[in-house]
Amino acid sequence: MTWSEMQPLLEQACTETLIMVGWSTLIAVVLGLPIGVLLVLTDKGGLLQNTVANKVIGQIVNIGRSLPFIILMVALMSFTRWVTGTTIGSEAAIVPLAIGGIPFFARLVETAVREVDHGLVEAVQSMGGNTWTIVRKVLVPEALPSLIASTTTTVIALIGYSAMAGTVGGGGLGDLAVRYGYQRFETGLMWITVALLAVVIAFIQFAGDYAARSLHRRGARSGPGPKLRLLKAKEPAAADVGKVA
């Protein structure tokens, strides 16, 4: 197979992989972030301590993480058909990719949020901050470098999952490698696909590490002081209003 024949196949496969990984990552982050934060808040000593809720959410996350992706795809075929109307193609692959990515990202979020200095949480509590204020002003901003690194890890994992999805008709680079590299003995195309995946993963890892380091350095320079001063500045204003009244 010549390069002119390979090029359109590679372009289409790359587009399908980017669509699958992009949408599934977005869904995993949007749904996994609150689940991970909730695991921290409902844990022992948390702001919303609830042992039953924590164990239930934790078990659901554990079950989702324990299932091999290929089995998860098969188990979700009926649900995938109900959502997308089909079980093959890149659109159908987004469903199991997203569902597999949610518990994976949630555990990474839990680990990142637990690393936040508890002294900052206590400081905001002493200023009258409620749970939502603590999550929005302290937990998520302070854990942001780790959350960026967690997102990078999730994206790379989903790229690997998308390659597995290609083995059962999910489209993308994995499907291209199987159909042409394995079934049609186009070894050259298969190795180009492998090299392309390696380059994409290396670029994503570099970009994620760079973003995480930049945020970490910026946070180290500014420190937590401005956030706490901002919250502290609101109290005198409220007190002045009370005096005027």
Side-chain angles (χ1 to χ4, degrees):
M1 181 178 286
T2 63
W3 172 250
S4 60
E5 294 173 322
M6 292 181 186
Q7 187 175 359
L9 295 173
L10 289 169
E11 290 177 353
Q12 181 181 357
C14 285
T15 302
E16 291 174 348
T17 297
L18 289 175
I19 291 173
M20 287 189 293
V21 175
W23 279 106
S24 57
T25 300
L26 178 62
I27 296 170
V29 170
V30 169
L31 298 181
L33 179 61
I35 292 174
V37 173
L38 197 58
L39 283 169
V40 176
L41 295 178
T42 57
D43 200 6
K44 185 177 180 180
L47 298 174
L48 301 175
Q49 180 175 331
N50 188 319
T51 304
V52 175
N54 184 267
K55 288 187 178 299
V56 170
I57 298 171
Q59 286 301 318
I60 294 173
V61 170
N62 289 339
I63 292 172
R65 289 185 63 199
S66 65
L67 289 175
F69 181 71
I70 195 71
I71 295 176
L72 182 66
M73 284 191 66
V74 174
L76 291 174
M77 276 188 174
S78 298
F79 179 70
T80 301
R81 184 181 292 108
W82 177 72
V83 173
T84 64
T86 182
T87 57
I88 59 174
S90 56
E91 291 183 1
I94 292 173
V95 176
L97 283 171
I99 293 177
I102 290 170
F104 182 85
F105 184 69
R107 281 300 184 192
L108 295 177
V109 170
E110 180 188 12
T111 302
V113 173
R114 286 190 190 280
E115 294 175 355
V116 175
D117 185 3
H118 193 66
L120 295 176
V121 176
E122 293 177 347
V124 177
Q125 280 182 309
S126 67
M127 297 172 196
N130 56 22
T131 302
W132 171 244
T133 301
I134 292 172
V135 171
R136 188 166 54 92
K137 295 287 188 180
V138 179
L139 294 181
V140 173
E142 291 297 322
L144 193 56
S146 297
L147 292 176
I148 295 295
S150 299
T151 303
T152 303
T153 303
T154 302
V155 171
I156 293 173
L158 289 175
I159 291 175
Y161 290 167
S162 71
M164 283 189 277
T167 63
V168 290
L173 291 169
D175 178 54
L176 182 65
V178 170
R179 283 192 297 115
Y180 286 87
Y182 178 72
Q183 295 177 352
R184 302 187 186 184
F185 303 102
E186 294 289 347
T187 308
L189 179 59
M190 184 176 67
W191 283 113
I192 290 174
T193 304
V194 172
L196 189 58
L197 283 169
V199 170
V200 170
I201 290 174
F203 174 77
I204 292 172
Q205 187 68 61
F206 172 79
D209 289 346
Y210 179 80
R213 284 196 300 267
S214 298
L215 286 171
H216 184 72
R217 287 196 297 266
R218 187 181 305 172
R221 286 196 300 267
S222 61
K227 297 187 184 73
L228 299 183
R229 286 198 296 270
L230 180 62
L231 290 170
K232 202 177 281 188
K234 294 179 180 179
E235 290 185 347
D240 292 343
V241 172
K243 288 179 182 178
V244 173

